[in-house]
Structure formats: C-alpha cells, structure tokens
Amino acid sequence: MASKLLPWLITTFLVFLTCLQPWTVKSPFHPRDLLPLMPKQISWPILNSLHSAVDLLPVFVGAVSSPVNTNEWKGACFYKNQAWIEFHNKTGSQFGGGTVHLKVSNAHSWTCLDIYIFATPYRVTWDYYFLAREHTLEIKEWDGRAEYEYVKNHGLSIFLLKAGMLGTLQALWEVFPLFTNTGWGENSNIGFLEKHMGASFETRPQPWVTNISAADIHSGDFLAVSKIRGRWGAFETLEKWVSGAYAGHTAVCLRDSDGKLWVGESGHENEKGEDIIAMIPWDEWWDFELNKDDSNPHIALLPLHPDIRARFNETAAWEYALSMDGKPYGYHNMIFSWIDTLTANYPPPLDANVVACVMTIWSQLKPEYAGNMWNEALNKRLGTKGLDLSEVLVEVERRGSSFDELLTIPEQDDWIYNDGKSTSCVAFILEMYKEAGLFDPIASSIQVTEFTIKDAYILNFFENNSSRLPSWCNDGDTVKLPYCQIKGKYRMELPGYNTMQPYPHMNERCSSLPTKYSRAENC
C-alpha cells in the first residue's frame, strides 16, 4: 500500500512546491530537482519533456576582458550573475595570467547548480557553481602573447549549459541512443526529428521494398537516402536538423557506353573503412542497401524531367565522375554549406560562438580531425595557409572582421585542398550536373558546394508528370508521391520538392531555421 501511495504523495508535494513559486518565499527544492526520486514510469516521461539532446549545446552569455568590462546574465539555476577578469603575473612569466571572477546569486532553489564552459582560441575549461557567492577561476599563465592580446581585446568567452547537471545528464540520455544500432536508437532518431523539425513518419503499406526494373532508371536520376539508426543515422539526424533537409545522404545514377547502370556516391566506405567517392555497379549498390546496410535506409529515386535529361551530357558526366573516383569524401566543405548568414542559419541555441567553442574543443582533442574538417577551409576563406584554429580566430579579429562573418563566405567549387577537390555527397552530384550542362547558361555563377541536400531536391530538375513515372513507382502505396520511394517502412517527405528555378549565386545568402526552414525573399 505504501508503495502505491508514494507516487501520489510525491506528486502532491511537487504541486505544493509549484504553488509556492509565485510568492517571494524560495522553496528549498525546485520540482524538477525531485523528479529522480519519483518512480521511473512517472519521472522519465516528465524529464524527457523538459530536456532534449539540444540542451547539451552551451549557450554563449558573454565575454570578459577587464575588471571594468563586466557581464550580467540570467542562468539556469542562479538568476543573477556577474563576471569580470583581473590580469596578474603571479608566476613571473612574460605575459602573466588572470583570475576570472563569477558572482552568482538568486538561485531558484537550494539544490540547483549552474555549469559553465570558459574558452579562448587556445584553451577550454569548465566549472560548476552550487553556492551563491563570488567564485574564481584561476588561469596561471596565458599561452603566449597571442592569447594575452586576444583576451585583452576580445575577452574570455563564457558559455552556460542551460540544462544544469540533471538536465545535462538527461540530454545525454537522449543523445546516446541516437547512435545505437537498435530499435531504441531508431525510435530516438525519429523522435528527435519529430520534435525538432516537425517531421512526420507515416507507415507505408507493405511491401517496403519496390520490385525495381533497372531498365527504367536513367543517367542523372537522383537518389535521396535517409538513414535513421546507428552511427550514420545519428549524424544524419543532426545534419537534417541544422540544414532543414529531409534526407541525409545522396547518390546519382549513370549509364556507361555499354548501357550498364552505375551509382556514383561520395561517402562510400571502402575495404579500409575510409569514406571515398566511388562508382559502383547498380546491382552491387542495391544489394548492399537491401541486405547489408544496417542503418535502415529509406531511399527515393528522383527521375530527371525528360527535358532536363535531354540536356544531360553523359560523356562530360563520366569524365567528371572518373576524375573524382577514389578521392576522399568532402569533409572540408561539409559544414559550410548550411551557414549562409550571420544569425539565420543556427537552430537555437546554436550560434557562431558555440560553433567556435565546439571547434576549439575538437581541435584540442583531435587536431588531425579539426585540420580535415575546417582548418583548411577557414584558411581558404582568409587567403592564408597553414593557420590552426586559434591563429585563424586571431587573424580574423586582426582584420577587423569576425568569426561569424568568416563562416558565411561562400565555398568555391574550384578550391583545391591538400587532397584535391572536395565534394560532399550532394556537392559531388551537383558538380556532375554542372559539368553535364544542367546549370547552363548560369553555371559560372553557381557554387554547388554551397548547396545542402534540401537545396538539391528542391531544384526543378525532376519529373513533374506522375503519368511518366515507372509503373513500379510507389507500387502498393495508397499515397502517390511525385517521386519513387523504393525502400523504407516510413513514407519519405521532401518539402519543396522540384520547385526552385536555378539563379545566379544560388544558396549563398539564404536563411533557414526550424521548424519551417523558410527561405528569405529572393533566395
């Protein structure tokens, strides 16, 4: 009997505490603080509604550069906070160090705490505060003149983990299953996309695999792929969230002079586990997706419009494909295609400060990863060579610019990286389209490395007459899509499909924010 009364008693107590909140009396506990004490079947649904994977992202609250340059903000636990920094030379080094002062007060309960990340281009550290008082963070020595001058002029950045300790743990609990290759992981990815993008996952009638006739597939036909479980499923989920795309991977069909059908794919894993650009026979590619790809891929075939297909220069397409065959996947430009504006491409709480913080952390943990993912691309935008991330940030400030402005500089298709031209999965296809003449006569003003997957499938290159689709297209489905879904339990949706006429400098300055991901006028 007592066990049955416990949930009711705890719930009643939580309601009582909640009723106290409008008054001036501070409750010893916030209702959220007691949720872990409740039975799992009651507490976890509430916790899940309060915190999500997005809450793992730090929120930039300001930068401090001197005792007179103070910052004030409202925290997750302490509602009144103030920070400043004092420079000193306690170690007798050339440039000394500093003491960060952070005064916290007005906690919403006695049991909460705030977690902070402190960052410069040269270091990242963290601390948490439980007591309402003035706290200090000691930096014994600056990393030479560069860090000293940077903090003097631009400040030490402060980020708040807004979910607090409990919320951060709960957010981690939501992130972890995204990467698991299980039904739990699949449901977690679906839940994330439904929650943060407004995506819907409607079950299709069986069979969930189409009996394809490869004879109906032509050169240039586009393959949109959406993976929803495992490592790639998780990465695609995050990519979809920031870019607004409802697919996370792409490939393209191409026939050779003998009529044999091939699939061109940037991101094909070779025998060494490397992600490369590859031309794969259709039968081999399709067999892998049917029987060996454990990410539960959902695949749609987007046939080219007959008029567009007539313009497709197959010879030029093959020349381009063979010139890229075996080259590494386009990591260099992968993250830059969705950042076009200073503020209108970052799903909250993301912003350029958070991006710089995450880059700094990765640069310290995995410097070789950072060099491949963004250092060389940032150097391209600056017109410099060999600068690491900290040097890039300092150089940007020296020029009177900012890191968020640097991120918006459009990628150029003709940039050559240390391992050659760099194309992500969709850039590889669109560069092939460009070489094959589909962007003529404005091809010289189009940088396809600026396109996201969504930017690709909204191009009006595809079939718009359902009567011309193959007879097996959407066979058995009660809903007739304007494209052919050939695999997947859930119906694939591609908002804006086949609606956008190409224009000069397309997708170089376009806003895109969840959940509607609306494009700005004339973009």
Side-chain angles (χ1 to χ4, degrees):
M1 185 67 180
S3 61
K4 294 181 179 179
L5 284 175
L6 181 60
W8 183 86
L9 291 172
I10 295 178
T11 303
T12 302
F13 184 48
L14 290 176
V15 172
F16 170 73
L17 292 179
T18 303
C19 293
L20 287 177
Q21 297 305 305
W23 302 90
T24 56
V25 178
K26 180 192 296 185
S27 113
F29 303 102
H30 191 279
R32 287 195 301 265
D33 302 331
L34 293 181
L35 283 171
L37 302 178
M38 300 176 66
K40 185 176 180 180
Q41 64 269 28
I42 295 177
S43 63
W44 279 104
I46 300 175
L47 285 168
N48 277 318
S49 68
L50 293 174
H51 298 293
S52 69
V54 174
D55 294 322
L56 282 177
L57 295 171
V59 177
F60 178 71
V61 296
V64 290
S65 58
S66 71
V68 296
N69 173 27
T70 61
N71 263 300
E72 296 185 4
W73 67 91
K74 180 180 178 180
C77 170
F78 296 97
Y79 287 171
K80 187 175 181 180
N81 305 277
Q82 187 178 32
W84 64 96
I85 190 170
E86 288 183 306
F87 289 83
H88 61 65
N89 197 354
K90 297 177 182 179
T91 61
S93 58
Q94 185 176 1
F95 301 104
T99 301
V100 181
H101 298 262
L102 204 151
K103 187 175 182 180
V104 303
S105 60
N106 289 21
H108 67 63
S109 78
W110 293 351
T111 58
C112 66
L113 57 81
D114 275 339
I115 306 173
Y116 288 96
I117 295 174
F118 303 89
T120 76
Y122 302 85
R123 73 179 70 229
V124 176
T125 187
W126 69 283
D127 206 349
Y128 64 93
Y129 305 118
F130 179 75
L131 300 175
R133 62 178 177 84
E134 182 180 317
H135 302 266
T136 60
L137 177 74
E138 198 67 32
I139 299 173
K140 293 182 180 180
E141 292 183 11
W142 301 114
D143 188 13
R145 176 183 293 277
E147 185 178 29
Y148 171 75
E149 294 290 345
Y150 185 91
V151 177
K152 273 279 190 182
N153 295 323
H154 306 290
L156 180 143
S157 297
I158 304 174
F159 299 86
L160 169 70
L161 289 177
K162 65 176 184 177
M165 183 66 77
L166 177 62
T168 299
L169 291 174
Q170 173 58 28
L172 282 170
W173 184 252
E174 187 181 69
V175 166
F176 171 74
L178 295 180
F179 291 85
T180 62
N181 200 352
T182 62
W184 177 35
E186 181 172 308
N187 291 333
S188 297
N189 280 283
I190 290 172
F192 184 98
L193 295 171
E194 289 176 332
K195 180 176 181 180
H196 297 291
M197 287 185 68
S200 60
F201 287 83
E202 297 178 357
T203 303
R204 303 165 66 217
Q206 294 197 48
W208 296 329
V209 175
T210 300
N211 186 19
I212 300 172
S213 172
D216 295 323
I217 301 176
H218 304 276
S219 286
D221 288 353
F222 189 101
L223 291 160
V225 184
S226 179
K227 304 183 179 186
I228 57 175
R229 66 192 298 173
R231 175 173 58 110
W232 283 115
F235 283 124
E236 286 192 16
T237 289
L238 299 176
E239 176 192 0
K240 293 168 187 173
W241 173 58
V242 298
S243 69
Y246 278 63
H249 184 54
T250 58
V252 65
C253 300
L254 204 57
R255 288 194 180 274
D256 62 21
S257 57
D258 296 325
K260 182 177 178 180
L261 184 62
W262 297 74
V263 174
E265 183 177 38
S266 179
H268 176 76
E269 187 173 316
N270 64 12
E271 298 80 5
K272 299 179 181 178
E274 301 165 330
D275 295 313
I276 63 169
I277 298 170
M279 297 301 297
I280 311 153
W282 165 265
D283 291 340
E284 180 183 326
W285 185 87
W286 185 232
D287 177 69
F288 177 83
E289 297 304 331
L290 289 181
N291 303 308
K292 301 172 186 176
D293 191 340
D294 56 9
S295 64
N296 193 6
H298 286 52
I299 305 172
L301 176 75
L302 283 48
L304 290 181
H305 188 280
D307 294 342
I308 299 295
R309 184 179 301 124
R311 292 166 45 196
F312 188 86
N313 186 329
E314 207 170 60
T315 301
W318 266 109
E319 288 177 359
Y320 171 74
L322 294 176
S323 73
M324 298 296 288
D325 191 29
K327 285 185 166 49
Y329 174 80
Y331 287 107
H332 299 292
N333 50 43
M334 183 177 68
I335 69 171
F336 293 98
S337 60
W338 60 273
I339 303 176
D340 295 338
T341 67
L342 296 179
T343 59
N345 294 115
Y346 299 102
L350 270 180
D351 62 14
N353 293 294
V354 175
V355 171
C357 178
V358 172
M359 285 183 174
T360 300
I361 294 171
W362 272 107
S363 295
Q364 294 185 12
L365 294 176
K366 294 283 186 180
E368 69 285 352
Y369 176 93
N372 193 33
M373 285 291 290
W374 49 72
N375 283 359
E376 195 171 359
L378 293 172
N379 275 269
K380 291 286 187 186
R381 285 159 172 77
L382 281 173
T384 55
K385 288 185 177 181
L387 300 184
D388 63 22
L389 179 62
S390 60
E391 293 167 330
V392 164
L393 293 173
V394 170
E395 178 64 17
V396 168
E397 299 292 347
R398 187 189 69 78
R399 296 186 185 188
S401 184
S402 62
F403 186 65
D404 49 358
E405 290 178 344
L406 183 66
L407 292 175
T408 66
I409 295 175
E411 182 85 8
Q412 302 297 302
D413 293 350
D414 60 0
W415 281 349
I416 306 296
Y417 290 86
N418 62 357
D419 50 7
K421 280 193 173 182
S422 185
T423 57
S424 63
C425 63
V426 70
F428 169 70
I429 298 170
L430 295 180
E431 187 67 37
M432 181 187 291
Y433 283 2
K434 192 175 178 182
E435 293 293 324
L438 299 194
F439 286 102
D440 289 346
I442 60 171
S444 62
S445 65
I446 296 281
Q447 305 298 330
V448 299
T449 41
E450 277 291 299
F451 284 52
T452 66
I453 292 175
K454 178 183 179 181
D455 297 331
Y457 65 64
I458 67 173
L459 286 167
N460 64 347
F461 285 176
F462 306 106
E463 182 60 81
N464 60 3
N465 185 341
S466 59
S467 68
R468 288 197 294 254
L469 292 173
S471 59
W472 44 260
C473 183
N474 302 310
D475 189 28
D477 198 343
T478 54
V479 175
K480 300 304 180 185
L481 299 171
Y483 39 83
C484 306
Q485 182 165 348
I486 57 178
K487 186 180 186 299
K489 174 181 178 181
Y490 302 103
R491 192 171 292 116
M492 292 179 68
E493 50 184 334
L494 303 175
Y497 172 70
N498 205 27
T499 58
M500 184 68 65
Q501 177 73 22
Y503 59 87
H505 304 289
M506 188 173 185
N507 299 315
E508 293 182 8
R509 301 293 179 198
C510 294
S511 58
S512 179
L513 288 173
T515 56
K516 293 184 178 180
Y517 297 95
S518 301
R519 298 169 71 93
E521 189 176 357
N522 300 321
C523 188

